[in-house]
Amino acid sequence: MELGARAFAGFVRRGSFSGAAAELRISQPAVSKHVADMERELGVKLIERRSRTLTAAGEFLASHVLRADALLRQAAHGLTALREPMSGALSIVAAGTPGTYVLPEIVAAFQQAHPGVRMQFELATSAEVINAVRSHRAEIGVSGGFVAAPEIEAEPLIEDEVVIVGPPSFAGRRVSRDELELLTWISREEGSATRVIADGALADLGIVPRRRLALPAWEAIKIAVRRGHGIAAFSRLALTEELAAGTLTMIPFVPWKVRRTFSIVRIRDAALTPPAQQFLELLRARCSRLSPSPRRRRKSG
């Protein structure tokens, strides 16, 4: 059953037998066989082969198998780190906004204080952050979206406000609902938590933009907005310099009031390696100065 559990966990994380095979470095038929053997042993069907979706039994088992697999992997990392507490590697992945405007300075400060730790820091969408933590490609993630994975724990880190911004020509102007619909809305690609939140707010207000443009990076969106190609919903954390310099301006729209929380995400109930624990302490301390509403409680996703 152990091989079947590993194969099943790989399928759940990757969403396919081929993805599980790549993760486990075995053939796709071998993954399918291990899962089928486990289904026979348990007497239940776990995966619908045609649609590649989990059955009710599969959904139930997934939450247990993923957590057990995550704990075993994390224990192996922890034992390695115990030999030399502040050495080894630390992998961090963060969503675009916190990863671009909050974490770089903290990562640099940690690396300077602990030169023996090999740092790997990546940017991703919030959806990709969850997948990186689930698949153990990152020990710590920072996400801006809702976390709905049984083996993932989310801890509120920073409270953020999402505002509408435009080029300097909008300074001092108030815009109507009709104008907002006619303007081009520029955003990140699908999977971005800011885009999901902004699109939800627009839908709640009954605003349907006629034109949309997706760009792959926040700095690219800033340039496009500054040059008059459209407007965008942005994190206030990302706009400090531009608002002060007047290169971008906030567009007031009374019904719009959008807030969200960036969260630390990691494997639930798993002991962190010493470098990860030290980094989290630094991250919490630095971010408590940025948020108007510091962490109050621990949440689980």
Side-chain angles (χ1 to χ4, degrees):
M1 183 170 171
E2 180 182 350
L3 291 174
R6 290 182 60 205
F8 180 65
F11 176 90
V12 175
R13 277 193 294 269
R14 299 302 182 98
S16 67
F17 288 108
S18 60
E23 178 181 313
L24 298 173
R25 298 182 181 180
I26 60 177
S27 69
Q28 183 174 332
V31 172
S32 183
K33 179 181 183 302
H34 290 321
V35 173
D37 288 345
M38 187 170 70
E39 288 177 320
R40 281 193 293 272
E41 184 177 345
L42 295 174
V44 293
K45 189 174 185 180
L46 302 173
I47 300 171
E48 294 289 353
R49 267 42 177 196
R50 288 187 178 181
S51 60
R52 295 182 181 178
T53 57
L54 298 180
T55 64
E59 292 284 359
F60 175 81
L61 184 63
S63 63
H64 297 280
V65 170
L66 288 174
R67 290 184 66 184
D69 186 54
L71 287 171
L72 287 172
R73 289 173 182 253
Q74 199 67 23
H77 291 315
L79 289 172
T80 300
L82 284 174
R83 292 198 296 266
E84 296 181 63
M86 290 312 291
S87 63
L90 173 58
S91 180
I92 301 162
V93 62
T97 298
T100 302
Y101 302 103
V102 178
L103 264 72
E105 184 179 349
I106 300 172
V107 169
F110 182 85
Q111 182 71 90
Q112 186 174 11
H114 305 288
V117 178
R118 297 189 307 277
M119 300 288 292
Q120 182 179 347
F121 176 44
E122 296 181 10
L123 291 180
T125 64
S126 286
E128 291 166 344
V129 169
I130 304 304
N131 287 334
V133 174
R134 293 182 78 190
S135 60
H136 312 284
R137 289 186 290 108
E139 189 171 4
I140 296 172
V142 178
S143 169
F146 176 70
V147 179
E151 76 280 24
I152 295 294
E153 181 177 285
E155 172 189 346
L157 180 65
I158 313 172
E159 187 175 301
D160 181 36
E161 181 182 6
V162 177
V163 297
I164 305 172
V165 297
S169 59
F170 278 79
R173 281 183 54 189
R174 289 192 174 273
V175 297
S176 66
R177 184 184 303 269
D178 290 343
E179 286 179 287
L180 287 178
E181 289 192 334
L182 292 173
L183 291 165
T184 299
W185 282 77
I186 308 175
S187 66
R188 286 281 305 277
E189 68 276 23
E190 291 186 10
S192 161
T194 303
R195 173 171 175 166
V196 170
I197 291 167
D199 286 354
L202 288 171
D204 289 343
L205 295 171
I207 297 172
V208 182
R210 306 281 180 84
R211 294 184 297 246
R212 304 296 299 259
L213 172 63
L215 295 176
W218 288 116
E219 292 303 310
I221 296 173
K222 286 183 181 180
I223 292 171
V225 173
R226 187 167 66 242
R227 294 180 179 174
H229 296 295
I231 62 175
F234 258 98
S235 160
R236 281 293 295 264
L237 293 171
L239 297 170
T240 304
E241 295 181 4
E242 289 78 12
L243 294 178
T247 55
L248 293 174
T249 187
M250 285 176 52
I251 299 176
F253 185 65
V254 175
W256 180 278
K257 190 174 183 180
V258 181
R259 303 189 74 84
R260 48 92 176 271
T261 300
F262 294 121
S263 298
I264 298 165
V265 293
R266 60 191 187 92
I267 297 298
R268 190 191 305 277
D269 300 330
L272 293 170
T273 60
Q277 188 61 55
Q278 290 286 325
F279 180 80
L280 276 188
E281 290 175 8
L282 177 64
L283 179 63
R284 291 169 182 141
R286 292 288 186 94
C287 288
S288 66
R289 307 170 194 168
L290 296 175
S291 178
S293 299
R295 291 183 305 120
R296 289 189 174 89
R297 62 187 183 276
R298 198 178 185 83
K299 291 184 181 178
S300 296

